[in-house]
Amino acid sequence: MTRRRSPSPDLQNTDLHDAVGMRLARHDYRYTNGRRRLVDVIAAAGQPVTLPDILVAAPELAPSSVYRNLDVLERSGVVDRIASGGDHAYFEFAEPLLSHHHHLICIDCGAIEDVRLGDDVEALVDRSLAEAASRAGFAPLRHSLDLRGYCSRCR
């Protein structure tokens, strides 16, 4: 149900690896061959992936290593974890490695579909959230909206 997509159109493969390497270095992590392979798998998938998806695409990677490396990539701001309510979390590149978008998440089968709002709607959401954050004395960094419900197959 997820639509195929690639990292931000501004990022070529070499640029993607450079950006990932810089994010990891800022958090004092090395860009190991295992992490590079994991980034390649996520980029090639073109959609959010689960740990089992990654292991099918890269059977040479040990599950425990993939799990640890996903944690490092998440803590470094390279990937975001999407909880779909299913058996497995999904992972995708974080912004700005992947263009800004939101998700429709099926609570039955766990399918995820990307949704991009129009610039005018996104600006309204940003303003509304900034106002709410200001009233609460909260310092926002970014937002994400996930709409949960049933996909057309599960309805």
Side-chain angles (χ1 to χ4, degrees):
M1 188 112 226
T2 52
R3 294 183 311 215
R4 274 189 75 71
R5 58 185 161 57
S6 302
S8 175
D10 299 333
L11 288 176
Q12 299 296 324
N13 197 33
T14 303
D15 295 336
L16 174 63
H17 285 294
D18 289 345
V20 169
M22 286 188 294
R23 285 179 178 225
L24 287 167
R26 276 191 297 232
H27 291 86
D28 295 324
Y29 293 113
R30 293 183 310 117
Y31 197 13
T32 63
N33 288 336
R35 291 176 186 151
R36 182 176 290 274
R37 178 69 175 118
L38 188 50
V39 165
D40 285 339
V41 169
I42 294 169
Q47 61 189 27
V49 292
T50 63
L51 179 68
D53 295 333
I54 293 167
L55 296 174
V56 167
E60 73 278 9
L61 297 175
S64 60
S65 176
V66 172
Y67 187 78
R68 281 191 308 274
N69 282 325
L70 283 170
D71 183 57
V72 166
L73 293 175
E74 184 180 8
R75 283 189 273 132
S76 301
V78 172
V79 299
D80 285 332
R81 177 187 304 257
I82 306 166
S84 69
D87 292 339
H88 301 283
Y90 285 78
F91 297 88
E92 68 179 0
F93 290 118
E95 290 180 40
L97 300 176
L98 191 64
S99 60
H100 183 73
H101 64 281
H102 306 285
H103 301 108
L104 301 176
I105 301 174
C106 180
I107 61 171
D108 193 20
C109 71
I112 298 175
E113 185 173 337
D114 290 345
V115 175
R116 285 175 175 70
L117 302 177
D119 290 343
D120 55 336
V121 174
E122 198 68 55
L124 177 61
V125 168
D126 283 340
R127 277 194 311 275
S128 298
L129 291 174
E131 289 169 9
S134 177
R135 285 192 301 274
F138 186 79
L141 297 175
R142 65 184 180 95
H143 75 264
S144 64
L145 300 173
D146 293 334
L147 184 59
R148 297 177 190 284
Y150 296 98
C151 69
S152 59
R153 289 185 319 220
C154 295
R155 284 181 47 179

